[in-house]
C-alpha cells in the first residue's frame, strides 16, 4: 500500500509539471506549429486560392521568382527603413520616460498608467486619426508646419515622408508600453547601488548610464527583440495609411512592407503559394534579425559594464 | 508584437464568433419562431434600409442584417470567403469591375435561373452569366454617366451655371471640358480645383470606349488598345493643366474634399449622386447635373449574388430577387438615385420624370435614362477592377509629380501585366 502511494507521489512530482505546461504546447502545436509547416508546404506549390485550392508542386520556383521580384526587394527595403525609424527612437524614448517615472513624483501611479494608454487604443482608430493628422490638404501637422513657414508636405507621396509618418504611429503606440517594462525592471535594481554612487559624487546622468542601463541589460535585449519581431511584421499601419485599403502601399509602393506585399499576393492576386513563400522568407528574416539583435545588444550592454 | 497582438485579438474574436455560430446552429436559431437571419454584404450605400423593413413586415420569419465595407475591402473579403468556403454573407453584392472574376468561379454561386432575363438590359444580364449559362447575380443598378457640378462655384468663376448651357459648352467632347476647366481655374475661389482626381475622371472616359481593358476572349489589351492610352493622355492633359484636386475616389480625403468644396465637377454615374448627398449635405441645392462630354458610357453598377455556402440559400434568393425587382429598383432610384438596370422602367413617370431638389431640381430621371439608352456596353474581364486601381495609381504618380506621363505609363503597363499572371 505504502509502496503504491510512494509511486503515485513520485509520478505526481515528476509527471504533473509536464501536464501543467501541456496546454501551451498543445495550443502552440495547433495554432503555431501546424500553420508554419503547412505554409511551408504551400510555398512549394503553384496554388490559386480562387480555384478552390487547385495546386501543383513546383519546388523552389516561388522562392526563385521572389528573389528576382523587384517589388519584393522594394518591400523589404521599406520594412527595414520603417523598422529602424520607429524602433530606435522608440526604445530610447521609452528608456528616458521610464527613468523620469522612476523618480518620486506626484500622482505617480496615474502617470505610470497614463503612458500605457496609447497602447490600449485600437490600432485602426489610431492609424485613422494619424492619417488625418498627416493629411495633405487639411492635416494638423501641415497646418503647424505652415505656421513656421514650411510649405505643406504630401506625406503619402514620398518614401521618406510616408515612412516617417508610419513610424510615428508605431512609436506613439508602443513607446509607453516599453517604458513600463523598463520601469518595472528599474525598480528591481538594488537601491544601495544608487546610494553608493551618490556618495561617490556621481551625477544623475552618470548614474543612468553606469548603473541603470547595464542593470537593464536583459530587459533591453528583450524589448529590442520583441520590437524587431513586431517592426518587421508591420502591416495594419501602412494598409490603413493609404486610405483606400489597397494593399500596394501608395501609388508607387513607397510604403508597401513585406507583410503587406504578402497580403497583396495572397489576397488580391490569390497566389497562395507565392504568398506562402514570402511568409516563410519573412519568418527567416525575423529569426536572423532577432539573433543578430540579441548578440549585438548583449555586446553593447557588456561594454557599458 | 504589434501584429502578434492584433492576431491574438482577431483569434479571440473569431473563437467567440465560432462559439456563437455553434450555439446558433445548435438550437436552430430562435427555436420558438424559427426566425431566419439573412446577412447582406454590401459596399457603399445601396439604399435598402427602408426596403428591409418592408420585407421583414411581409415576412415575419425573416430578419435582415446588412454589413458594409469599402469597395476594395468588400470584394477582397468576398473572394477570400469563396476561396476558403466560409464566411460569406447570404447575399453578396458584386460591382461591375469584379463581376467577371466572380463569373469565372461561377460554381461557387447559386444559379438564379433565366426567368428574369427579359426584364434586364441585355448587356447587364450577359455580364453576370457564366459560360455554361448560369446566372450568378441579379443586376441592381447601372452607372450611366453625367457630370455633377457645383453651380455656385461656376458662377463665382464667371462661367455659365445653367445646366443646358454647361452641357452645351462641352457637348463636343472632353477637350472642351478641359478648356472650360482652364477658364474656371483662372477665376475660381482659392483652393478649388475643377475635378476631384485623375483616377475617377479616367474611369468615366474609358467607360465610353467600345472596348476597354479586355477583349471578349478575356485577353488584356491595356497596352495595345489605343482607347486606353487616349483616355490616359486626356486625363494627363487635364492634370497638367492643373485642374485636378488630386484626390483618390472614396478615400477619407476625398470625402473631406466635398465638405471643403475642393472641386467643382465630378464624373457622375447615377450611383455617385448618393455619395455626393452623403458627403456634401451643406451644399444641397448648389449641386447640379449636366450631360457628360462625348456621349453615353458606363462606370459601375452592381449585382446581388447568392453564394452557395450560405445557410439559407432559398430565402436569400427570394430576397435578392425581391430587392432587384422592378418596383424596388424604381424606389431605390427615387430615394438614392441608383439608376435601374430594367429598361422598361425608364419611361415610367416616377423614373423618367424624376427631379432631384438636392441637385437644383435637375431632371435626373431624364438625364440618366437618356445616358443609359445611349450607353455602349463594354466587356469587362476578370481583373477589370484591379486594372482600374492600377491605372489610378499610375495617374496618382503623375499628380504627385513623381513621374512623367510616359514613365508612369510604362510602369502601369508592366503592373497590369503582373496582374495577368
Amino acid at each position: 500500500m505504502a509502496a503504491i502511494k510512494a509511486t503515485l507521489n513520485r509520478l505526481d512530482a515528476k509527471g504533473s509539471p509536464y501536464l501543467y505546461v501541456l496546454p501551451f504546447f498543445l495550443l502552440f502545436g495547433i495554432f503555431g506549429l501546424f500553420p508554419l509547416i503547412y505554409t511551408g508546404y504551400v510555398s512549394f506549390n503553384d496554388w490559386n486560392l480562387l480555384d478552390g485550392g487547385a495546386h501543383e508542386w513546383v519546388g523552389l520556383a516561388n522562392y526563385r521568382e521572389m528573389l528576382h521580384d523587384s517589388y519584393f526587394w522594394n518591400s523589404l527595403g521599406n520594412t527595414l527603413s520603417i523598422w529602424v525609424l520607429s524602433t530606435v527612437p522608440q526604445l530610447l524614448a521609452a528608456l528616458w520616460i521610464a527613468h523620469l517615472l522612476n523618480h518620486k513624483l506626484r500622482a505617480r501611479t496615474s502617470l505610470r498608467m497614463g503612458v500605457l494608454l496609447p497602447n490600449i487604443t485600437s490600432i485602426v482608430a489610431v492609424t485613422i486619426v494619424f492619417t488625418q493628422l498627416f493629411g495633405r490638404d487639411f492635416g494638423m501637422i501641415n497646418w503647424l508646419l505652415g505656421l513656421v513657414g514650411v510649405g505643406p508636405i504630401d506625406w503619402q507621396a514620398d518614401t521618406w515622408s510616408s515612412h516617417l509618418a508610419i513610424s510615428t504611429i508605431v512609436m506613439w503606440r508602443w513607446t509607453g508600453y516599453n517604458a513600463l517594462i523598463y520601469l518595472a525592471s528599474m525598480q528591481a535594481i538594488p537601491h544601495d547601488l544608487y546610494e553608493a554612487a551618490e556618495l561617490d559624487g556621481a551625477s544623475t546622468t552618470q548614474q543612468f548610464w553606469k548603473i541603470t542601463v547595464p542593470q537593464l541589460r536583459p530587459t533591453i535585449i528583450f524589448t529590442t527583440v520583441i520590437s524587431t519581431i513586431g517592426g518587421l511584421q508591420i502591416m495594419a499601419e501602412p494598409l490603413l495609411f493609404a486610405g483606400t485599403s489597397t494593399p500596394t502601399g501608395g501609388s508607387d509602393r513607397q510604403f508597401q512592407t513585406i507583410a503587406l506585399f504578402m497580403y497583396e499576393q495572397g489576397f488580391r492576386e490569390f497566389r497562395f503559394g507565392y504568398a506562402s513563400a514570402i511568409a516563410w522568407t519573412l519568418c527567416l528574416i525575423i529569426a536572423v534579425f532577432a539573433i543578430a539583435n540579441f548578440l549585438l545588444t548583449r555586446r553593447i550592454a557588456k561594454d557599458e559594464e | 508584437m504589434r501584429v502578434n497582438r492584433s492576431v491574438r485579438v482577431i483569434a479571440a474574436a473569431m473563437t467567440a464568433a465560432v462559439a456563437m455560430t455553434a450555439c446558433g446552429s445548435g438550437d436552430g436559431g430562435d427555436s420558438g419562431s424559427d426566425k431566419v437571419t439573412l446577412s447582406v454584404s454590401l459596399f457603399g450605400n445601396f439604399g435598402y434600409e427602408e426596403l428591409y423593413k418592408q420585407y421583414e413586415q411581409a415576412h415575419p420569419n425573416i430578419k435582415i442584417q446588412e454589413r458594409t465595407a469599402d469597395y476594395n475591402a468588400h470584394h477582397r473579403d468576398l473572394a477570400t470567403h469563396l476561396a476558403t468556403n466560409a464566411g460569406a454573407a447570404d447575399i453578396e453584392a458584386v460591382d461591375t469591375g469584379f463581376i467577371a472574376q466572380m463569373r469565372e468561379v461561377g460554381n461557387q454561386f447559386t444559379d438564379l435561373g433565366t426567368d428574369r432575363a427579359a426584364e434586364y438590359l441585355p448587356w447587364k444580364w450577359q455580364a453576370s452569366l457564366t459560360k455554361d449559362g448560369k446566372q450568378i447575380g441579379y443586376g441592381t443598378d447601372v452607372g450611366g454617366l453625367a457630370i455633377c457640378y457645383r453651380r455656385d462655384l461656376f458662377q463665382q468663376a464667371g462661367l455659365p451655371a445653367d445646366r443646358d448651357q454647361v452641357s452645351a459648352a462641352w457637348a463636343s467632347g472632353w477637350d472642351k471640358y478641359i478648356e472650360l476647366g482652364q477658364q474656371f481655374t483662372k477665376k475660381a475661389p482659392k483652393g478649388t480645383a475643377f475635378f476631384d482626381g485623375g483616377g475617377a475622371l479616367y474611369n468615366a472616359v474609358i467607360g465610353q470606349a467600345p472596348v476597354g481593358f479586355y477583349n471578349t476572349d478575356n485577353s488584356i489589351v491595356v497596352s495595345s488598345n489605343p482607347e486606353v492610352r487616349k483616355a490616359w493622355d486626356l486625363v494627363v492633359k487635364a492634370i497638367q493643366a492643373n485642374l485636378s484636386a488630386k484626390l483618390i475616389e472614396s478615400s477619407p480625403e476625398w470625402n473631406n474634399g466635398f465638405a471643403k468644396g475642393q472641386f467643382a465637377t465630378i464624373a457622375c454615374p447615377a450611383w455617385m449622386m448618393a455619395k455626393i448627398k452623403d458627403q456634401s449635405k451643406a451644399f444641397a441645392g448648389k449641386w447640379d447635373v449636366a450631360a457628360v462630354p462625348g456621349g453615353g458610357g458606363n462606370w459601375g453598377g452592381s449585382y446581388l449574388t447568392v453564394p452557395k455556402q450560405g445557410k439559407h440559400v432559398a430565402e436569400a434568393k427570394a430576397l435578392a430577387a425581391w430587392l432587384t425587382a422592378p418596383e424596388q429598383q424604381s424606389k431605390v432610384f427615387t430615394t438614392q438615385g441608383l439608376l435601374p438596370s430594367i429598361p422598361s422602367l425608364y419611361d415610367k413617370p416616377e423614373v423618367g420624370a424624376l427631379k432631384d431638389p438636392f441637385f437644383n431640381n435637375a431632371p435626373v430621371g431624364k438625364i440618366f435614362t437618356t445616358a443609359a439608352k445611349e450607353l455602349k456596353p463594354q466587356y469587362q474581364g476578370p481583373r477589370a477592377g484591379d486594372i482600374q486601381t492600377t491605372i489610378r495609381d499610375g495617374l496618382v504618380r503623375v499628380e504627385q509629380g513623381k513621374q512623367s506621363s510616359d514613365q508612369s505609363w510604362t510602369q502601369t503597363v508592366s503592373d497590369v501585366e503582373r496582374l495577368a499572371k
Side-chain angles (χ1 to χ4, degrees):
Chain A
M1 199 60 192
I4 295 170
K5 207 170 176 188
T7 324
L8 277 179
N9 269 341
R10 214 172 45 243
L11 260 181
D12 183 31
K14 294 236 169 190
S16 48
Y18 290 101
L19 224 65
Y20 296 147
V21 296
L22 187 66
F24 167 77
F25 285 98
L26 271 180
L27 285 175
F28 174 74
I30 297 168
F31 294 109
L33 205 58
F34 170 72
L36 201 66
I37 293 167
Y38 189 66
T39 309
Y41 166 70
V42 174
S43 74
F44 295 118
N45 286 278
D46 188 5
W47 192 311
N48 187 323
L49 208 49
L50 218 50
D51 287 349
H55 51 95
E56 181 197 347
W57 184 267
V58 291
L60 287 169
N62 283 325
Y63 290 91
R64 263 198 300 275
E65 184 186 340
M66 192 184 66
L67 293 179
H68 293 104
D69 189 342
S70 61
Y71 288 158
F72 168 73
W73 295 107
N74 170 58
S75 67
L76 179 62
N78 289 339
T79 310
L80 295 181
S81 157
I82 293 172
W83 167 64
V84 170
L85 275 175
S86 61
T87 307
V88 175
Q90 180 195 150
L91 292 183
L92 289 177
L95 205 55
W96 181 62
I97 291 170
H99 179 63
L100 294 183
L101 286 175
N102 202 20
H103 288 295
K104 285 199 176 69
L105 296 165
R106 249 179 252 172
R108 197 163 56 174
T109 315
S110 35
L111 280 175
R112 285 176 181 173
M113 294 317 292
V115 297
L116 193 65
L117 273 181
N119 193 249
I120 58 170
T121 47
S122 140
I123 188 167
V124 176
V126 170
T127 310
I128 288 171
V129 168
F130 268 85
T131 306
Q132 299 270 345
L133 292 180
F134 281 105
R136 181 192 61 191
D137 298 320
F138 305 107
M140 202 170 81
I141 293 178
N142 273 348
W143 176 73
L144 287 173
L145 286 176
L147 290 185
V148 296
V150 181
I153 293 169
D154 189 348
W155 290 95
Q156 281 184 17
D158 288 309
T159 309
W160 69 270
S161 56
S162 57
H163 289 192
L164 206 64
I166 292 168
S167 303
T168 312
I169 305 172
V170 176
M171 276 192 284
W172 188 81
R173 231 173 140 244
W174 290 94
T175 305
Y177 174 83
N178 285 311
L180 274 196
I181 294 180
Y182 287 146
L183 179 63
S185 185
M186 276 178 192
Q187 303 206 314
I189 301 173
H191 203 70
D192 41 358
L193 283 177
Y194 291 104
E195 278 170 7
E198 235 163 88
L199 283 178
D200 291 344
S203 71
T204 333
T205 322
Q206 278 173 324
Q207 287 176 26
F208 177 70
W209 286 111
K210 299 285 179 190
I211 300 171
T212 313
V213 171
Q215 289 284 329
L216 286 184
R217 195 183 77 190
T219 318
I220 293 174
I221 293 175
F222 171 76
T223 53
T224 316
V225 171
I226 292 294
S227 303
T228 303
I229 293 172
L232 293 178
Q233 291 178 340
I234 183 169
M235 176 174 147
E237 289 90 343
L239 178 65
L240 293 166
F241 185 64
T244 51
S245 87
T246 34
T248 40
S251 61
D252 200 17
R253 298 172 187 259
Q254 62 269 28
F255 50 90
Q256 185 179 44
T257 58
I258 299 193
L260 209 50
F261 181 56
M262 175 181 83
Y263 178 63
E264 185 203 1
Q265 293 305 315
F267 295 101
R268 188 173 99 150
E269 309 299 311
F270 303 113
R271 301 185 62 202
F272 200 23
Y274 192 51
S276 298
I278 300 166
W280 251 98
T281 311
L282 177 59
C283 183
L284 286 180
I285 293 172
I286 290 174
V288 168
F289 268 81
I291 292 166
N293 247 309
F294 177 76
L295 298 174
L296 208 72
T297 30
R298 199 172 59 169
R299 257 187 77 183
I300 292 170
K302 256 196 190 139
D303 289 347
E304 296 288 347
E305 266 178 277
Chain B
M1 197 66 189
R2 275 170 283 285
V3 169
N4 276 351
R5 278 263 155 142
S6 38
V7 164
R8 255 185 281 158
V9 172
I10 292 166
M14 274 179 5
T15 320
V18 167
M20 269 149 61
T21 16
C23 297
S25 56
D27 59 16
D30 296 8
S31 41
S33 56
D34 270 345
K35 246 192 175 175
V36 173
T37 303
L38 295 177
S39 50
V40 180
S41 177
L42 309 173
F43 55 95
N45 189 345
F46 276 59
Y48 286 161
E49 290 296 322
E50 287 302 314
L51 297 180
Y52 296 147
K53 283 180 201 151
Q54 208 181 323
Y55 194 81
E56 282 172 347
Q57 267 168 12
H59 302 79
N61 62 325
I62 304 268
K63 202 177 158 340
I64 302 169
Q65 258 174 3
E66 181 184 287
R67 51 192 203 216
T68 54
D70 76 68
Y71 180 82
N72 280 306
H74 167 84
H75 290 96
R76 210 162 41 235
D77 286 352
L78 171 58
T80 312
H81 293 319
L82 294 178
T84 52
N85 202 24
D90 293 298
I91 294 179
E92 290 271 358
V94 177
D95 177 76
T96 306
F98 285 90
I99 192 66
Q101 198 169 9
M102 301 304 160
R103 195 175 60 205
E104 297 288 297
V105 289
N107 57 347
Q108 303 253 34
F109 294 94
T110 311
D111 182 6
L112 302 173
T114 52
D115 310 347
R116 297 183 58 198
E119 287 176 31
Y120 277 97
L121 287 167
W123 61 269
K124 182 79 180 176
W125 181 262
Q126 288 291 332
S128 52
L129 209 57
T130 64
K131 278 194 205 92
D132 48 354
K134 286 187 189 128
Q135 182 53 265
I136 65 161
Y138 287 131
T140 60
D141 61 320
V142 291
L145 273 177
I147 300 283
C148 294
Y149 68 99
R150 285 269 305 272
R151 18 180 323 120
D152 56 327
L153 294 176
F154 268 49
Q155 272 162 351
Q156 286 173 47
L159 295 182
D162 176 66
R163 73 181 75 90
D164 292 328
Q165 282 175 308
V166 172
S167 303
W170 58 48
S172 67
W174 289 103
D175 286 322
K176 284 282 176 203
Y177 173 83
I178 294 177
E179 263 174 47
L180 200 72
Q182 283 165 320
Q183 281 180 42
F184 174 85
T185 316
K186 277 181 205 146
K187 282 161 80 182
K190 201 171 170 288
T192 304
F194 193 54
F195 63 89
D196 55 336
L201 183 64
Y202 187 88
N203 291 342
V205 180
I206 195 67
Q208 295 177 327
V211 177
F213 307 141
Y214 278 92
N215 268 338
T216 47
D217 63 356
N218 274 351
S219 57
I220 297 180
V221 294
V222 167
S223 58
S224 58
N225 179 3
E227 298 277 357
V228 177
R229 177 69 204 233
K230 216 172 86 189
W232 170 281
D233 288 336
L234 187 108
V235 174
V236 167
K237 188 177 150 197
I239 291 170
Q240 284 167 351
N242 219 4
L243 305 185
S244 171
K246 303 176 182 178
L247 298 166
I248 295 173
E249 194 224 322
S250 289
S251 66
E253 288 88 354
W254 183 77
N255 289 340
N256 239 334
F258 279 106
K260 306 266 184 188
Q262 272 188 287
F263 44 86
T265 72
I266 181 168
C268 204
W271 49 262
M272 189 67 87
M273 293 197 294
K275 291 202 175 195
I276 297 174
K277 283 182 191 169
D278 284 347
Q279 301 300 339
S280 196
K281 290 191 183 79
F283 300 109
K286 291 180 174 159
W287 282 94
D288 209 324
V289 188
V292 70
N298 190 51
W299 170 16
S302 303
Y303 301 81
L304 293 186
T305 67
V306 179
K308 268 188 189 156
Q309 57 180 267
K311 280 204 199 78
H312 312 289
V313 169
E315 289 89 343
K317 201 172 145 182
L319 175 60
W322 186 82
L323 283 172
T324 53
E327 201 187 327
Q328 277 62 251
Q329 289 208 15
S330 154
K331 262 184 208 155
V332 170
F333 183 63
T334 48
T335 54
Q336 289 293 328
L338 300 180
L339 184 63
S341 46
I342 295 176
S344 64
L345 292 172
Y346 295 170
D347 297 320
K348 293 254 161 72
E350 67 268 28
V351 174
L354 183 76
K355 294 189 172 179
D356 195 327
F358 186 96
F359 292 92
N360 189 34
N361 280 320
V364 292
K366 184 163 166 287
I367 293 172
F368 283 105
T369 55
T370 311
K373 285 174 191 164
E374 276 180 20
L375 191 157
K376 298 161 238 166
Q378 187 189 81
Y379 181 79
Q380 302 285 324
R383 304 299 301 273
D386 289 325
I387 293 176
Q388 206 167 289
T389 312
T390 305
I391 291 183
R392 180 201 72 198
D393 281 345
L395 289 165
V396 170
R397 288 194 295 273
V398 177
E399 282 179 341
Q400 289 173 335
K402 291 163 76 99
Q403 289 179 353
S404 73
S405 169
D406 282 335
Q407 280 171 336
S408 181
W409 172 255
T410 310
Q411 187 172 330
T412 302
V413 167
S414 86
D415 280 348
V416 168
E417 270 158 20
R418 266 186 82 111
L419 286 176
K421 249 198 300 212

